[in-house]
Amino acid sequence: MGTYLITGATGGIGGAVADLLYDAGHALILVGRSAERLAETAARLTAGSGPTTAQDASAGPEPTTGPLTVNGSDPVTAAQAVSEAGGRVRTTALDLSEPLRLEASLADVDVPPLDGLVHSAGAVELGTVAESQPDAWIEQLLVNAAAPAELTRLLLPALRAARGHVVFVNSGAGLRANPGWGAYAASKHALKALADSLRAEEPEIRVTSVYPGRTASGMQRKVRAQEGGEYDPAAYISPRTVARVIVNALMTPRDATVTDVSLRG
Ligand SMILES: NC(=O)c1ccc[n+]([C@@H]2O[C@H](COP(=O)([O-])OP(=O)(O)OC[C@H]3O[C@@H](n4cnc5c(N)ncnc54)[C@H](OP(=O)(O)O)[C@@H]3O)[C@@H](O)[C@H]2O)c1
């Protein structure tokens, strides 16, 4: 069994990835902004209730939360060590709009070798170039590009130790920039460049970019509100479908790397 760190674990796609990896027996480190929402997600996993969105989270047994205390040099595998430390799920609250603080925030977290790092956190704020204010540009560039870069940099020793796999949840907007999507598309184009550079620089680490189309989640609900349209979850890709593609990429045998996958609804 492996150990996987997931950002955006309280969201639709990240939560569905956590469900699938937990059900397969892996150890998880869940990252989100809110300790309370992370605790709800951890409780849902350990209760085995299986819904795939944060909105579906239900009460369950007390989660095992708090900073990791596992020594990476311990001879037992990372997954065993996390389990022996009190459970297969740990949570760490981090605000990815502040990448300058990530190093200090992670300083006390003794991260075990990581088999995978799934970057699923994301922020969106629609607006034309004419109307988008600097704070919208800054937030999206920080959360969607600078923070994944910094988190990856900080976790590279743990990833190298396990010859791990980094998955970036990108977007169709990372390949095409449409009207009203400039800042988000710029941040996701930057995320693609980050993934491609990392893949070329770290031959022992596999790197995958996943480009979903519109997916039923809190983010899509916000996008539809900003577009002035209705939000019908049934009209969009299920987060669980995106998660299955991500987990398939993670579980691909080492003789191949899934580099880029686009999903259209
Ligand atoms: N939904 C779509 O249509 C769609 C399409 C293509 C690509 N994507 C991409 O898919 C990824 C997952 O999105 P989703 O659809 O699952 O949306 P979601 O349900 O809204 O989840 C977004 C996640 O990002 C986290 N997040 C946001 N800002 C953060 C911050 N400053 N610090 C830490 N965490 C933060 C949220 O945590 P909190 O609990 O703290 O809010 C939440 O867990 C994103 O990268 C998004 O760009 C989505």
Side-chain angles (χ1 to χ4, degrees):
M1 291 299 118
T3 301
Y4 295 85
L5 189 147
I6 305 166
T7 74
T10 53
I13 295 172
V17 171
D19 286 337
L20 293 179
L21 289 175
Y22 184 82
D23 288 349
H26 299 290
L28 304 181
I29 303 166
L30 309 179
V31 173
R33 256 178 309 194
S34 151
E36 191 181 355
R37 284 196 295 277
L38 283 167
E40 287 171 3
T41 303
R44 187 189 79 228
L45 293 175
T46 53
S49 54
T52 55
T53 67
Q55 293 91 332
D56 291 331
S58 58
E62 280 298 302
T64 51
T65 59
L68 288 173
T69 54
V70 179
N71 186 331
S73 62
D74 195 292
V76 298
T77 68
Q80 283 172 334
V82 169
S83 180
E84 284 159 18
R88 283 196 289 122
V89 183
R90 289 286 184 276
T91 65
T92 300
L94 298 174
D95 187 345
L96 299 178
S97 68
E98 299 186 299
L100 289 174
R101 301 173 70 118
L102 287 179
E103 186 160 19
S105 300
L106 286 174
D108 295 333
V109 180
D110 194 358
V111 181
L114 283 180
D115 298 279
L117 165 60
V118 179
H119 293 282
S120 190
V124 68
E125 195 65 48
L126 299 191
T128 61
V129 174
E131 67 199 11
S132 291
Q133 298 297 309
D135 56 352
W137 279 89
I138 291 166
E139 192 205 1
Q140 289 170 93
L141 290 167
L142 289 176
V143 174
N144 297 348
E150 174 64 351
L151 196 57
T152 302
R153 182 183 78 82
L154 295 169
L155 295 174
L156 269 179
L159 287 160
R160 287 178 182 141
R163 299 174 74 217
H165 193 146
V166 183
V167 176
F168 295 96
V169 182
N170 203 300
S171 164
L175 301 170
R176 292 168 300 282
N178 290 322
W181 289 79
Y184 181 76
S187 70
K188 292 295 191 179
H189 275 67
L191 190 66
K192 178 185 186 301
L194 165 63
D196 292 346
S197 296
L198 181 68
R199 188 182 303 111
E201 291 165 3
E202 299 283 340
E204 291 299 311
I205 293 175
R206 296 196 290 175
V207 178
T208 301
S209 288
V210 177
Y211 303 89
R214 290 180 186 253
T215 302
S217 73
M219 176 179 282
Q220 189 55 229
R221 184 188 296 276
K222 175 179 178 180
V223 164
R224 293 302 294 145
Q226 292 191 338
E227 290 175 330
E230 286 188 4
Y231 172 70
D232 173 11
Y236 307 115
I237 302 170
S238 160
R240 197 166 178 91
T241 302
V242 181
R244 285 177 63 170
V245 170
I246 292 169
V247 172
N248 281 342
L250 288 169
M251 298 305 149
T252 299
R254 283 209 71 88
D255 56 325
T257 299
V258 177
T259 58
D260 300 271
V261 194
S262 287
L263 296 170
R264 292 290 165 267

